Amino acid sequence: MSEKRKKMEKWRGLVALVRDGVEHGSRAVERIQLETANRPFTVLEHIPPIAVPAKVVHVVFDASVKATHAVIRGVNAVAATAIDVTLDHVASDSDERRND
Amino acid sequence: MGSKLDFTLAILNGAIGDHLVATKNGLATELACMHEGAPFPMTRAALATALPSASAKVVLLVHGLMCTEEVWKLPDGTDYGTLLERDLGYTALRLRYNSGRAIVENGEALARLLEELADAYPVPIEELVLLGYSMGGLVVRSACHVGKLEDHHWLALVRRAIYVGTPHRGAPLERAGKILTRVLRAIPDPYTRLIADIVEVRSMGIKDLGEGICVRDMEHPVPLLPEIRHYLAAGSLVDDPNVALFFGDVMVPVQSATDHRIVDREGFVLPPEHVKLFPHFSHVRLAHDALVYDQIRTWCE
């Protein structure tokens, strides 16, 4: 494997690592946010006068947290793919220039 | 710049190298012998180019966790390899590997590499010395067992195996990490569980250091091969032998680095001159110090 190709593999590796980090980090933070919020919501849902609205707010809260993190992971995946495509383009450009 | 990048990659590989391999990440370091900062393939041509004056006596330096071969460098730019070349006519090879992989996996890869080396080396090898620092010693120990199990040719060439600060019986810091993870997981709190998850991310290589695991499907401690002369160097930050036994060089207790001196269950005992304790030596200092080199040279004479 040429030196340039190795360097490119390292860049791709770095991109993949950042993508994995954001993906795992987002999942961990999502889990914490859901679990942490679950405790007060569970208490509130046991108080008869506010049980129903608390349940509604709980569902809305969970959905918004999940949606937010899904967006973060989606943007992360798109950005990583875009960088990968750019790296491919740079690599093929430099190969062509070398062949010329 | 290259050296800094290599150092950063060594730390990254040590921390999560098994994940890098599992995800086929380009940042994963491949096990290879290094020449002037670059790996070279085990082919006759590459070896002849890299080693124009190859000697029949070869010493292989195997670094430890989160290091590269730079860890061996003494302040004057030499290392144990160049000094052995100068003083005893060895040819020194320096291994680089992904220290985050399981020690067993690195041992297997090293055994295969040594088999290729024995075949492709420019002159017939008469003597092979394996010098492992810290985790590198366990990789050497593992490779020897693989060589024995798979009947490799190179094993017959190994005269000496020198272990410098090697945690043969495990490293307590890693065991403490395991306990910490268990305690954090037992606490029913999402934040402590998150910390436990982060601690648990550490690589298989680090986890193996806890017990000094170096051979697949065998209960550790596995016996040191009796056909090789084994030498153990240990560091200790204190003078008191009892304290040194348990704290050693902080990373590796003396009793672990010296493999309890009684090194296998079949009663194979190392002669006392094969075990050397270096008082007031930190773990890192063991890899590049003139006094340690003097001892290594004495063992190799």
Side-chain angles (χ1 to χ4, degrees):
Chain A
M1 199 188 280
S2 73
E3 209 45 48
K4 202 160 246 178
R5 201 169 281 273
K6 271 187 201 165
K7 211 172 263 180
M8 209 52 93
E9 282 302 308
K10 284 202 168 80
W11 278 113
R12 282 206 186 89
L14 184 62
V15 172
L17 198 62
V18 173
R19 186 190 56 212
D20 287 355
V22 173
E23 173 84 24
H24 286 107
S26 161
R27 285 191 192 283
V29 172
E30 179 185 342
R31 200 189 65 218
I32 282 192
Q33 286 177 332
L34 292 174
E35 283 181 26
T36 310
N38 190 46
R39 289 178 184 178
F41 275 127
T42 309
V43 174
L44 294 174
E45 283 163 16
H46 279 89
I47 302 170
I50 55 167
V52 174
K55 266 181 195 157
V56 173
V57 174
H58 193 175
V59 168
V60 171
F61 174 84
D62 282 2
S64 62
V65 167
K66 283 175 187 171
T68 305
H69 284 283
V71 169
I72 290 171
R73 291 194 288 269
V75 169
N76 178 46
V78 169
T81 309
I83 295 171
D84 265 345
V85 170
T86 311
L87 286 175
D88 282 341
H89 192 68
V90 170
S92 66
D93 252 15
S94 87
D95 282 349
E96 271 174 28
R97 240 178 290 148
R98 207 176 324 132
N99 291 338
D100 290 345
Chain B
M1 179 64 191
S3 178
K4 273 185 191 164
L5 176 66
D6 288 344
F7 182 60
T8 309
L9 286 177
I11 293 174
L12 184 70
N13 274 266
I16 55 166
D18 53 341
H19 171 78
L20 296 178
V21 172
T23 54
K24 296 188 172 61
N25 191 300
L27 296 174
T29 302
E30 282 180 32
L31 183 136
C33 279
M34 304 299 288
H35 179 63
E36 292 175 354
F40 62 92
M42 280 296 152
T43 59
R44 238 169 234 287
L47 278 165
T49 310
L51 312 166
S53 51
S55 143
K57 297 197 312 184
V58 178
V59 58
L60 178 72
L61 283 74
V62 186
H63 64 72
L65 177 72
M66 296 188 183
C67 308
T68 66
E69 62 283 0
E70 291 288 311
V71 76
W72 299 106
K73 281 259 164 76
L74 276 83
D76 63 0
T78 60
D79 64 18
Y80 298 160
T82 50
L83 294 172
L84 285 170
E85 284 180 334
R86 185 195 68 190
D87 296 343
L88 300 175
Y90 282 90
T91 289
L93 296 172
R94 294 156 190 86
L95 189 79
R96 189 185 287 184
Y97 64 99
N98 175 350
S99 59
R101 293 180 76 190
I103 291 169
V104 177
E105 290 173 5
N106 279 320
E108 288 168 348
L110 175 58
R112 284 194 293 274
L113 182 109
L114 288 172
E115 192 70 341
E116 288 169 20
L117 173 73
D119 286 341
Y121 197 72
V123 295
I125 298 175
E126 289 170 9
E127 182 187 342
L128 180 58
V129 174
L130 301 174
L131 172 54
Y133 163 63
S134 192
M135 174 194 271
L138 293 175
V139 174
V140 164
R141 195 166 169 172
S142 175
C144 288
H145 272 275
V146 174
K148 175 128 183 156
L149 289 172
E150 298 183 3
D151 210 14
H152 284 181
H153 297 104
W154 63 267
L155 193 59
L157 307 170
V158 181
R159 302 278 175 276
R160 300 174 179 86
I162 302 170
Y163 310 92
V164 179
T166 295
H168 294 277
R169 302 295 177 110
L173 274 180
E174 165 49 25
R175 288 200 289 269
K178 268 192 192 108
I179 293 167
L180 176 71
T181 318
R182 248 178 255 152
V183 170
L184 288 173
R185 272 198 201 291
I187 300 169
D189 178 79
Y191 289 98
T192 52
R193 242 180 306 167
L194 175 67
I195 297 167
D197 287 347
I198 292 168
V199 176
E200 194 58 30
V201 166
R202 70 201 188 282
S203 67
M204 272 312 295
I206 296 176
K207 287 174 185 168
D208 281 354
L209 281 179
E211 306 302 327
I213 294 164
C214 62
V215 178
R216 209 185 283 277
D217 301 329
M218 265 179 101
E219 198 185 321
H220 196 69
V222 294
L224 290 172
L225 298 182
E227 53 269 47
I228 300 171
R229 272 174 278 164
H230 301 275
Y231 300 90
L232 310 170
S236 163
L237 287 177
V238 292
D239 279 326
D240 188 324
N242 294 320
V243 178
L245 267 184
F246 294 100
F247 292 101
D249 59 19
V250 177
M251 304 296 279
V252 182
V254 169
Q255 57 172 338
S256 179
T258 57
D259 209 7
H260 291 198
R261 294 197 190 206
I262 299 161
V263 287
D264 84 22
R265 289 172 232 137
E266 292 156 26
F268 170 57
V269 181
L270 285 182
E273 64 271 21
H274 284 215
V275 182
K276 176 74 179 174
L277 178 63
F278 293 91
H280 304 293
F281 267 63
S282 69
H283 188 65
V284 175
R285 189 178 162 193
L286 285 169
H288 44 253
D289 189 274
L291 289 174
V292 179
Y293 170 68
D294 287 343
Q295 185 59 60
I296 290 171
R297 191 187 58 202
T298 305
W299 283 336
C300 288
E301 277 169 349

